[in-house]
Amino acid sequence: QVQLVESGGGLVQNGGSLRVSCIASARTFSPYAVAWFRQPPGKEREFVSAIKWNADDTYYADSVKGRFIMSKTKSKNTVYLQMNSLKPEDTAVYFCASGTVVARSPRPYEFWGQGTQVTVSP
């Protein structure tokens, strides 16, 4: 069983930066990919970014490309999402997820964290 725990959310001003982290607890953590999704208030969960665990390939939603950077530290079973030039529309609960594919839909991901709130003030 894999447990994912996000941290680092908070309140930031428009144009600011924030880094959220996701650490995996498992005897052996070796997914094919880890992804970040977000769920704005009253909206569906949406893809943000994904990274292959055993390669350097990263993927981004068009809405965050050029502003967000996803990275990983395998020795710590941790992935990060560095968010720059934040906008009020980035306000959401951010979730990390792991799975056996890279997908922009949440459905294929097996394990999910509880989420961390990111709020960007105007």
Side-chain angles (χ1 to χ4, degrees):
Q1 191 73 355
V2 175
Q3 289 188 320
L4 302 174
V5 179
E6 302 94 338
S7 62
L11 176 65
V12 63
Q13 289 187 333
N14 188 15
S17 297
L18 201 63
R19 189 179 80 161
V20 291
S21 303
C22 172
I23 185 167
S25 299
R27 179 171 291 185
T28 303
F29 184 65
S30 187
Y32 184 79
V34 182
W36 286 99
F37 285 79
R38 67 186 181 186
Q39 188 161 15
K43 296 184 179 181
E44 293 186 352
R45 198 166 296 191
E46 62 184 30
F47 173 79
V48 176
S49 182
I51 192 167
K52 290 184 179 178
W53 192 247
N54 291 313
D56 293 331
D57 305 63
T58 52
Y59 307 83
Y60 297 96
D62 288 343
S63 59
V64 306
K65 199 172 294 182
R67 300 189 297 125
F68 290 12
I69 301 171
M70 186 174 183
S71 61
K72 64 182 185 281
T73 301
K74 292 180 64 177
S75 61
K76 296 183 178 179
N77 282 355
T78 302
V79 296
Y80 308 94
L81 186 67
Q82 176 67 43
M83 302 182 288
N84 302 316
S85 301
L86 282 161
K87 307 173 183 180
E89 51 263 46
D90 294 317
T91 294
V93 178
Y94 283 71
F95 299 88
C96 67
S98 68
T100 56
V101 295
V102 174
R104 294 176 183 259
S105 165
R107 190 172 297 181
Y109 291 91
E110 295 179 86
F111 301 103
W112 289 82
Q114 82 291 344
T116 186
Q117 176 70 48
V118 172
T119 302
V120 184
S121 62

